[in-house]
Amino acid sequence: MNREVVVSGIRSTGYLHLGNYFGAIQNYVKMQDTHECYFFVADYHALTTHPDPKELKPNVFRVVAENIASGLDPEKVALYAQSDLIEIPELYLMLNMLAYKGELEKVPTFKDKVRMQPENVNAGLLTYPVLMAADILIHRAVKVPVGKDQEQHLEMARNFASRFNTRYGVDFFPEPQVFRFNQDTVKIMSLDGNGKMSKSENVSATIYLSDDDDTIRKKIMKAKTDQGPAEPNAAMPDYIQNLFLLLQLTATPEVTAQFTGAYNNCNIRYGDMKKQLAEDMVTFVRPIRERAAELQRDEDAIRKILKAGAEKARASSAATIAGARKLIGINYY
Ligand code: ADP
Ligand code: TRP
């Protein structure tokens, strides 16, 4: 059976959190039975911010363990490290010849980084979308499950694919699309109401898959709320909406309906709601945390998974590079 090809990656830049889980990993798990899936740890992308060499391996191994603990099955998908697929840097080099300085400088994530780390505006940051396009096009993927923040990068991947096709006169690369199950991509906000949950910002307002029970309880009890609605059926501020979203993702439908009803009738007690959410979140995170910790104790097992994943992925990446070399004219022997 010919299954649609799916690719996605997570950078090894820190501890995974609820945003990564509900925005990305949960969708990976849903696709693993129906699609040809390639999921990888984007360790080259992590190098753009110059991480300490000692931290690279534990970070990569943790991302692998947390993905598996969340339900990803390495027997069903190819789960690998980006740096293990030597064809990716070759395609990155080829695509760099079709990417223009002007368009790369305009990418919002690049502009953010220039603002955030003016002392380290390296060429790898500028060409981040080219490397990401290589990650995707190396398997000639059609679907890419990612959060909303990645849409612009996907648009660039489509541009590079079609530019390559036009230059060499064949439909070699399909144009990959962002994939989401429902109409909207999930976006989990930080618990203090400031922006999205992310790996390294707002540590105390981010719930990590590695947080212990009491840390989860404390973080949720400190989440931003207010006096409550002043009139029945009032619109929710985004930070309240975020708490209801988390409740909906982890509690029973009855519990969610009960608190939604209380909100609409103006008799909601946020303290009670947070206590309930804290317990549901503890129940949700605990098995993932425990399984991930257990997996991380067995480094040999993780190494084997990464090796097998890279081998599985190499069949398609080698075929793509062979085809691309031929089209470009690197065809000497
Ligand atoms: P981070 O931004 O935390 O460093 P990554 O950039 O490695 O995470 O993103 C990995 C995946 O998780 C991407 O598909 C991204 O869209 C998704 N993601 C990250 N943060 C969130 C969030 N707060 N809500 C929903 N999805 C998210
Ligand atoms: N840029 C993505 C992020 O920050 C991670 C990533 C790298 C990726 N290569 C990819 C995601 C290829 C999907 C496909 O989240």
Side-chain angles (χ1 to χ4, degrees), residues 11 17 19-20 23 146-147 149 186-188 196-199:
R11 289 178 300 155
H17 52 82
N20 300 133
V146 279
D149 53 328
V186 173
K187 180 181 155 198
I188 308 290
K196 66 164 203 155
M197 261 191 203
S198 76
K199 290 203 200 85

Side-chain angles (χ1 to χ4, degrees), residues 7-11 40 42 45 128 132 135-136 144 146 150 153:
V7 170
S8 194
I10 297 185
R11 289 178 300 155
F40 66 95
H45 276 109
Y128 184 112
M132 179 159 163
D135 295 330
I136 298 167
V144 185
V146 279
Q150 298 298 314
H153 288 155

Side-chain angles (χ1 to χ4, degrees), residues 22 31 37 61 88 97 100 166 209 250-251 331:
F22 290 113
M31 301 179 101
C37 295
F61 280 32
I88 291 176
M97 310 305 166
Y100 294 95
T166 306
L209 299 179
T250 53
N331 192 20

Side-chain angles (χ1 to χ4, degrees), residues 217 274-284 286:
R217 288 192 184 99
K274 289 202 270 189
K275 259 189 216 147
Q276 175 74 44
L277 177 60
E279 290 319 307
D280 285 316
M281 193 58 77
V282 162
T283 309
F284 177 81
R286 187 188 292 140

Side-chain angles (χ1 to χ4, degrees), residues 95 98-99 103-104 106-109 128-130 132-134 136-137 141-144 146-164 173-180:
L95 295 177
L98 304 174
E103 64 182 339
L104 295 171
K106 273 193 242 143
V107 177
T109 46
Y128 184 112
V130 188
M132 179 159 163
I136 298 167
L137 300 180
V142 292
K143 285 181 180 169
V144 185
V146 279
K148 209 173 181 50
D149 53 328
Q150 298 298 314
E151 280 173 3
Q152 173 97 29
H153 288 155
L154 255 282
E155 192 182 324
M156 301 199 71
R158 286 193 290 277
N159 288 341
F160 300 143
S162 82
R163 232 171 264 170
F164 185 99
F173 291 118
E175 293 186 17
Q177 306 293 334
V178 172
F179 182 74
R180 44 182 86 103

Side-chain angles (χ1 to χ4, degrees), residues 288-306:
I288 299 178
R289 176 187 68 227
E290 288 177 351
R291 178 93 181 95
E294 190 187 312
L295 286 163
Q296 280 175 91
R297 278 194 286 275
D298 191 352
E299 281 198 7
D300 260 351
I302 297 189
R303 256 191 292 275
K304 274 192 198 128
I305 287 167
L306 285 176

